[in-house]
């Protein structure tokens, strides 16, 4: 069993939106000392520092990555460090370098040291304007228009190659936009769906950078974490797709999200001033077919739009009242 043979986990990008919560979930499950958090761009939270080891790591630096894997006897890596879609377009050369070099380093170390397992998130950004936008299939056209999407599509092929050529047990899901209350996202198109909550609670107003009817696939953080844990626990025979699995939980437009928030904050007003980010949203799917993930390893999300909004507002309102927002 994976759990019994598992010794130590390394999480790169542990101070980011997903990493900050996934690291804590892994520490709960496997013990704080067994989960090493690595980051370098954002400062680690007290919670991250107080619940287990923290190391400074730029995952494009293979020597340091290698040293950490040796020192902590790591056998499983969750490689989350990445430059996202909007930030990536500001400096495409850097986004390609960071995203590809870090993934290559992780896969090479997994091959050289015979690591047990690697998790690497892909994204709906692998799709492009030629892809069917409704119920986007698992196997379809991947011609992304952002450098982030290009690096994710190339990364999927690299993971598939390392599995078939070297037997590296790397597993991946294509995350949609992730909504969370703990750590803000780091520069993507779907960031609006987090910003809107902070502004609604603090100022009762939000100006959205996407059009009112720009529907995108989304997921709440508990489901995002569950997807990573579940695919990593599945028996290898159940992972039939070695590029990356489509996963989704809900799809909504900014107007639908604003209407749901208004049910909790009646005087909330949302305005729309679409900018260059709308063009990226237009190239991404509206809804996703994730039946392969459901059939192969039992993927099933728990949160829909109403449940997610209720939970976000409860959590952020509490922080606002306590002066911590
Ligand atoms: C982004 O908007 O860039 C990310 C993503 C969908 O991967 N949240």
């Amino acid at each position: 069993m994976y759990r019994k043979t598992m010794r130590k986990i390394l999480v790169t990008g542990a101070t980011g939106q997903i990493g900050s919560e996934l690291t804590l979930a892994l520490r709960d499950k496997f013990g704080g000392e067994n989960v090493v958090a690595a980051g370098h761009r954002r400062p680690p939270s007290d919670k991250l520092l107080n619940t287990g080891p923290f190391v400074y790591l730029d995952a494009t630096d293979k020597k340091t990555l290698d040293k950490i894997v040796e020192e902590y006897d790591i056998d499983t890596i969750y490689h989350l460090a990445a430059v996202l879609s909007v930030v990536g377009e500001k400096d495409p050369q850097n986004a390609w370098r960071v995203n590809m070099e870090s993934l290559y380093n992780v896969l090479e170390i997994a091959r050289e040291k015979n690591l047990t397992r690697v998790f690497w998130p892909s994204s709906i950004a692998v799709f492009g304007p030629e892809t069917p936008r409704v119920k986007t299939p698992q196997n379809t056209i991947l011609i992304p228009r952002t450098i982030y999407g290009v690096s994710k599509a190339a990364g999927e092929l690299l993971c598939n190659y390392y599995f078939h050529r070297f037997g590296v047990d790397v597993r991946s899901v294509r995350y949609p936009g992730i909504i969370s209350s703990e750590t803000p996202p780091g520069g993507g198109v779907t960031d609006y769906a987090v910003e809107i909550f902070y502004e609604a609670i603090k100022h009762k107003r939000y100006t959205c950078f996407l059009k009112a009817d720009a529907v995108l696939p989304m997921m709440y953080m508990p489901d995002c974490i569950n997807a990573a844990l579940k695919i990593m626990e599945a028996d290898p025979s159940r992972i039939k797709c070695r590029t990356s699995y489509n996963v989704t939980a809900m799809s909504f437009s900014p107007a639908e999200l604003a209407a749901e928030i208004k049910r909790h904050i009646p005087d909330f007003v949302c305005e729309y001033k679409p900018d260059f980010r709308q063009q990226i949203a237009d190239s991404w799917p509206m809804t996703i077919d994730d039946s392969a993930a459901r059939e192969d390893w039992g993927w099933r999300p728990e949160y829909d739009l109403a449940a997610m909004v209720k939970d976000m507002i409860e959590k952020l309102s509490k922080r606002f009242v306590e002066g911590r927002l």
Side-chain angles (χ1 to χ4, degrees):
M1 257 287 284
Y2 172 60
R3 191 163 177 173
K4 284 199 192 111
T5 56
M6 194 275 314
R7 288 164 299 170
K8 285 255 171 133
I9 296 171
L10 174 68
V11 184
T12 75
T15 56
Q17 184 195 19
I18 299 176
S20 60
E21 296 198 45
L22 181 59
T23 303
L24 298 180
L26 287 166
R27 283 179 175 167
D28 266 356
K29 207 170 161 68
F30 298 110
E33 284 310 303
N34 293 321
V35 182
V36 181
H40 74 115
R41 264 190 278 153
R42 290 182 184 177
S45 65
D46 288 346
K47 229 180 192 171
L48 213 54
L49 285 176
N50 296 335
T51 52
F54 180 84
V55 292
Y56 282 89
L57 169 72
D58 171 352
T60 63
D61 171 4
K62 185 167 184 246
K63 251 197 189 148
T64 308
L65 182 59
D66 216 53
K67 240 176 72 190
I68 292 167
V69 168
E70 278 296 309
E71 193 179 321
Y72 289 92
D73 200 15
I74 298 296
D75 73 2
T76 300
I77 301 181
Y78 287 72
H79 175 45
L80 307 179
V83 175
L84 299 187
S85 57
V86 174
V87 175
E89 289 314 298
K90 291 188 182 138
D91 188 350
Q93 293 76 8
N94 185 55
W96 174 260
R97 187 188 64 78
V98 171
N99 293 357
M100 295 318 295
E101 281 181 19
S102 64
L103 175 62
Y104 180 72
N105 289 343
V106 167
L107 292 173
E108 268 295 277
I109 286 173
R111 178 186 70 81
E112 288 163 4
K113 298 191 187 307
N114 207 9
L115 300 192
T116 310
R117 231 157 257 192
V118 174
F119 176 79
W120 172 77
S122 185
S123 160
I124 54 162
V126 294
F127 303 116
E130 289 87 357
T131 311
R133 294 189 69 209
V134 175
K135 277 206 148 291
T136 300
Q138 172 65 43
N139 292 311
T140 184
I141 301 162
L142 302 188
I143 312 181
R145 292 277 178 97
T146 61
I147 194 68
Y148 171 63
V150 172
S151 71
K152 288 294 184 189
E156 287 190 8
L157 294 179
L158 201 60
C159 290
N160 190 56
Y161 179 78
Y162 267 72
F163 172 74
H164 290 287
R165 178 72 174 79
F166 302 120
V168 172
D169 190 353
V170 50
R171 302 166 179 213
S172 176
V173 295
R174 292 172 178 149
Y175 279 132
I178 303 297
I179 298 142
S180 66
S181 58
E182 298 307 302
T183 307
V189 171
T190 57
D191 291 18
Y192 93 83
V194 178
E195 284 171 17
I196 193 170
F197 285 97
Y198 283 78
E199 296 307 307
I201 288 165
K202 286 202 277 196
H203 309 298
K204 301 194 191 314
R205 293 196 84 81
Y206 179 63
T207 304
C208 183
F209 55 76
L210 296 184
K211 287 194 302 199
D213 62 353
V215 174
L216 287 168
M218 299 278 180
M219 187 181 288
Y220 194 31
M221 186 57 90
D223 283 326
C224 166
I225 288 170
N226 199 28
L229 298 181
K230 207 163 170 62
I231 193 171
M232 286 295 270
E233 273 169 15
D235 188 85
S237 63
R238 297 186 68 184
I239 310 300
K240 295 185 183 119
C241 166
R242 290 293 178 165
T243 50
S244 190
Y245 277 97
N246 282 3
V247 287
T248 189
M250 58 189 105
S251 275
F252 56 75
S253 66
E256 285 164 336
L257 176 56
E260 191 62 36
I261 292 173
K262 237 172 130 53
R263 291 184 54 215
H264 299 264
I265 306 172
D267 44 353
F268 172 57
V269 176
C270 190
E271 290 171 313
Y272 303 91
K273 288 211 177 98
D275 64 20
F276 67 97
R277 289 169 278 195
Q278 180 60 49
Q279 210 186 336
I280 300 178
D282 285 338
S283 76
W284 287 356
M286 294 192 286
T287 59
I288 297 280
D289 174 4
D290 62 2
S291 51
R294 288 171 186 259
E295 276 157 34
D296 289 0
W297 45 275
W299 160 246
R300 208 161 305 286
E302 279 180 12
Y303 284 83
D304 61 10
L305 175 62
M308 177 275 288
V309 168
K310 182 172 178 287
D311 201 56
M312 279 292 282
I313 289 184
E314 272 168 20
K315 291 211 163 88
L316 293 181
S317 301
K318 186 165 177 281
R319 293 227 304 268
F320 183 60
V321 169
E322 292 166 359
R324 296 188 296 116
L325 199 66

